[in-house]
Amino acid sequence: MDLAKIGATEKGGVCRLALTQLDKEARDLIVRWATELGCTVRIDKIGNIVARRPGTNPELSPVMTGSHIDTQPTGGKFDGNYGVLAGLEVLRTLNDHGLRTIAPVEVVVWTSEEGSRFVPVMMGSGVASGAFSLEYALSREDSDQISVEDALKSIGYQGCVEPSYSPKAYFEAHIEQGPVLETAACTVGVVTGALGQRWYNVKVQGQEAHAGPTPMNLRRDALLVAADLVKGVNQIATGSSTNARGTVGCMSVFPNSRNVIPGQVAMTVDLRADSAELLDLLDTQFRKLCSECELPVEVEQVVHFAPQPFDSFLVDSVRRKSADLGYPSMDLLSGAGHDAVYLASVAPTAMIFVPCEGGISHNEIENASPKDLEAGANVLLQMIIEAAAVDDA
Amino acid sequence: MDLAKIGATEKGGVCRLALTQLDKEARDLIVRWATELGCTVRIDKIGNIVARRPGTNPELSPVMTGSHIDTQPTGGKFDGNYGVLAGLEVLRTLNDHGLRTIAPVEVVVWTSEEGSRFVPVMMGSGVASGAFSLEYALSREDSDQISVEDALKSIGYQGCVEPSYSPKAYFEAHIEQGPVLETAACTVGVVTGALGQRWYNVKVQGQEAHAGPTPMNLRRDALLVAADLVKGVNQIATGSSTNARGTVGCMSVFPNSRNVIPGQVAMTVDLRADSAELLDLLDTQFRKLCSECELPVEVEQVVHFAPQPFDSFLVDSVRRKSADLGYPSMDLLSGAGHDAVYLASVAPTAMIFVPCEGGISHNEIENASPKDLEAGANVLLQMIIEAAAVDDA
C-alpha cells in the first residue's frame, strides 16, 4: 500500500509508467527497503534492480525471484508489484527466523514490463534472457521520441553491470489477471507454462458509399466483413481447446461517419494457445478465414511468442508446497506474458498465481485479498528455501 | 468548374463548409451570376439566397428550383452545386430564347445542407418548410461554439426577408449519389420519393478483461455482441425489401487495446425504408435484436424522418419529359436526404437525378459526365417551362 501511493490515481489504481519520475521514486523505495533488509543492490545496464541476500556459498548461482513495478496508465496496485514485494517479504521472513541459505537469494525488479511507454514489452527480462540485444532495447523510443537510454539516465537508473543472468532457479509470484482461480475457489494457481501468442494487424478494404442511395446488394461494406472476422476469430478459439484464445481488441472504422458505409476497417487479432501445434492451427484457420472474405483482407503478423512450458520439477514443487500448506490449488496456464516467460529460457522457472477480484486487472479497480497474497508469499518462501537450501551448519 | 475552384482540394474535390469565408466567396459568385442574368436577389433570415426571374403575372407564386453549395469536408464538385447551377442554366436558356414565363422562376441556394459544420442538416430548407424554427436554427453552434447567427453575420449573409416559402412547384436536380443509374445505364432518375430514416446511437456494455488469462467461456466481449448487431442490421434490411437500408457507419471500441477484451462498444445504426410501415417493421426487428443480445444493449433513437413521396403529377411529368427528350430513365427513390424532401411538405415537388461515376459521392473523386449533367438540366428546363407556363402573348 505504501508503494501504491506513488502514482496513485483517484479511482484507487496506480499510473506509474516505466522510467518516469514516479518509477524512480518507486525504485528508490524498493532499494531502501532492500538495503534495510541487509541486501546489496546492483543496477544493470538496462536498469534492472537486483537486491542480493548472500548465501553461505558465494560460488553458487543465486535463486532469483521478482517481477516489475511499472504499471499500465490506468493500472492497479498488484500487477507486478506483488511479485517484487512478496520477494522482499521472503527475505524479511528469512531474516526474522535467522535462516541462512547456501545459495544467495536475489529479488529483482525488471525494467519496463508493461509496454505502455516503450515497446517491446518485458524489456528488462527480454534483455536479461537474450531475447533481444541491450543496444536494441536502449534505442527504443516513447511517443515523445525519448529513448530508453535517455529515460534511464534521466532517472539515474542506468547501471554498469552486464544484464546477463543464469540463476539456479527463478520464481515469480503474480496475480492471475483472469477469473479462473476465483471461479474455482482456489487460493494458488500452479502455472504449468505460458500460452504462445501470435498478434496480427488486419485491414479490410471495402468501398465507402452513401448509406441512403446505395442498395444493400451493391455495397462493399468493410465493417460487415470485419464483423464476420470478429465472430470467426472467436469461433476458431472457442472451438479448438480450452487452452486457446482469440481476441479482437482494437478496431477503427473509416470514415466513421453515421451515414457512410465503412470503406475500410483496421483491427487487431490476438491468438494464443498452449502448444506450438495448436497455435499454428489457429493461425492457419484464421488466415483461411481472411482469404475467404468477400472483400480483400490484409493480414500482417506483428508478434510471435512460442508457448513456454515451465520447469516440470519446480511446477510439481509448487503443487506439493501448496498442498503441504493447506491451500487449495489448481493447475493453469499463464495466458499473459510475464518476465518469468523470458527467464524460463535461461533458468528453471515456476510461477505462483493468486486470485484477483473478478479476474480484473490492467484496471484501477484491480484488487486481491491479503489472505490470498499471504498464501502466495508463503508458497514462494517454501520454494526459495527448497531451492536455495537452508545451511544448517 | 469555376465554382469548384472555391475551396478546391488537391485531390480534385471541394472543402467548403457552410457559412465559412469560402462559402461567402461561392455565394458572392452565385449572386453575381444571377444578377448578370437579370435576376433580383434576396437573402432571408437564415441566409437562403433567392434569385428571381420575374413572370408576366407578378401575383402568381413562383416556380422554384435549387439546391445547396456547402460541401462535406472532403466533398466533391457536384453534390448540391449541380442543382443550383442547373437552375441558373435554365434561366440563361430562357433568356437566350427570349422566353417569358407567366409565373416567376426562382433559383434558390439553401443554407447549410450538409450538416458537416452545423446540425441539423438541411438547415435552410428545414426553416423554410417549418420543420424547425428560425430561432432554433440560428442558435445552433459549431464545434468552436460559433452560432449559425454569428457565422451568418460574419459573412454578411443574414438577410431580413422572412424565410417562408410556398412555391407553385419545387424542382431539384441532383447527382444520384448511388450506383443504380450507372448500373442500369440510365441517364435520368425519376425520383418517386425519399426513404424515411431512423438513426440510433447504440451502446453495448461488456466487461473489459485481459485477452490472455480470460478463457473464452468466461468473457463478456462487447465487440462480439457488436459484431452480431452489425450482421443483424444488415440482414434485417437485406431480408425486408429492395427499398430498405441498414447501415452501421460508426463504431468505437473501449479501451481499444490489442490485448484487452473490449468492455464497451458504441456504434450508430441508420435504418431507411420507403414506407412508414416498413420503417416501423425495421425498427421493431432491430430493437428485438438488441433485446436478445447476451449483453446489455442501450438503444437511443436520435433522428426520425418519415418517408416522403414526391408529387405524383410532377413525378410523372419528369418521366414523360425524359422520354420526350430521348433520355433512358428509371424510377428510383432518394436514399439520402435533400432540401427537396423538406420542400415536399409545403409545395408540389419533384427531383431529377443524374448518374455519378461509380455511385461515389461525399468524396473528393465524385464525378459526373457533362452529357448526363446536360440531360438533367434539359429535363429541368422542360419541367420549369411546363410549371411556369410560357406567356405567348
Side-chain angles (χ1 to χ4, degrees), chain A residues 177 199-201 210 212-214 216 219 224 228 231 234 245-251 256-258 262 272 335, chain B residues 177 199-201 212-214 216 219 223-224 228 231 234 245-251 256-258 262 272 335-336:
Chain A
Q177 302 187 273
W199 290 3
Y200 309 85
N201 290 339
H210 198 308
T214 313
M216 302 308 287
R219 297 179 171 211
L224 191 62
D228 276 325
K231 292 184 65 68
N234 189 273
R245 311 274 187 273
T247 307
V248 178
C250 297
M251 181 175 283
N256 210 38
S257 171
R258 187 185 282 279
R272 307 193 187 200
Chain B
Q177 302 186 272
W199 290 3
Y200 309 86
N201 289 340
T214 312
M216 302 309 288
R219 296 178 172 212
L223 184 55
L224 190 63
D228 275 326
K231 292 185 66 68
N234 189 272
R245 311 272 187 273
T247 307
V248 178
C250 297
M251 181 175 282
N256 209 39
S257 170
R258 187 184 281 279
R272 307 192 187 202

Side-chain angles (χ1 to χ4, degrees), chain B residues 31 34-43 49-54 91 104-107:
Chain B
V31 168
T35 309
E36 287 168 0
L37 289 170
C39 293
T40 55
V41 174
R42 64 185 195 275
I43 315 291
I49 303 171
V50 182
R52 181 181 179 99
R53 185 178 189 267
L91 299 192
V105 178
E106 293 185 343
V107 174

